[in-house]
Amino acid sequence: RILYASPLTGKYTRTTKNTSVIRNNFVVENADKIFIAYAVYGGQTEALAHFAIKKGKKIYTFDVPENRNLLELGALNESNFREKLYDK
């Protein structure tokens, strides 16, 4: 099943940095598990990871040196994500 939902009204016709943050936060709030392939240190995706952790969400990523920032936040190895993807 797919759920199509948006926190934004129809008056928004263009994606902006602000509407992207609103959309991404909405997705995090409604997700049980989140996979982030890569996040630049200090970037918007890392900020989203911080937001998700504060919300008590489990984050998964690749266990590679480039994702040390996510792993230090508490992100789990992606192999756990594949195993738990369909766990309730």
Side-chain angles (χ1 to χ4, degrees):
R1 295 183 186 208
I2 295 176
L3 170 67
Y4 179 77
S6 176
L8 304 169
T9 63
K11 74 176 186 174
Y12 294 96
T13 58
R14 215 171 257 158
T15 301
T16 65
K17 182 178 178 181
N18 186 48
T19 59
S20 294
V21 169
I22 292 168
R23 178 203 58 223
N24 292 343
N25 288 347
F26 177 79
V27 169
V28 165
E29 288 180 356
N30 289 285
D32 294 324
K33 301 171 186 89
I34 301 158
F35 180 80
I36 299 175
Y38 173 72
V40 171
Y41 180 80
Q44 291 296 315
T45 305
E46 185 183 80
L48 184 66
H50 280 276
F51 177 75
I53 294 287
K54 286 180 185 175
K55 291 288 184 178
K57 306 296 180 168
K58 288 190 177 181
I59 296 180
Y60 299 85
T61 193
F62 295 116
D63 188 6
V64 295
E66 293 83 2
N67 285 336
R68 187 175 69 223
N69 57 334
L70 294 175
L71 296 165
E72 288 174 354
L73 279 175
L76 303 169
N77 185 307
E78 58 84 22
S79 64
N80 295 325
F81 182 73
R82 284 182 282 158
E83 293 167 8
K84 300 192 179 288
L85 182 60
Y86 298 104
D87 289 352
K88 298 291 178 189

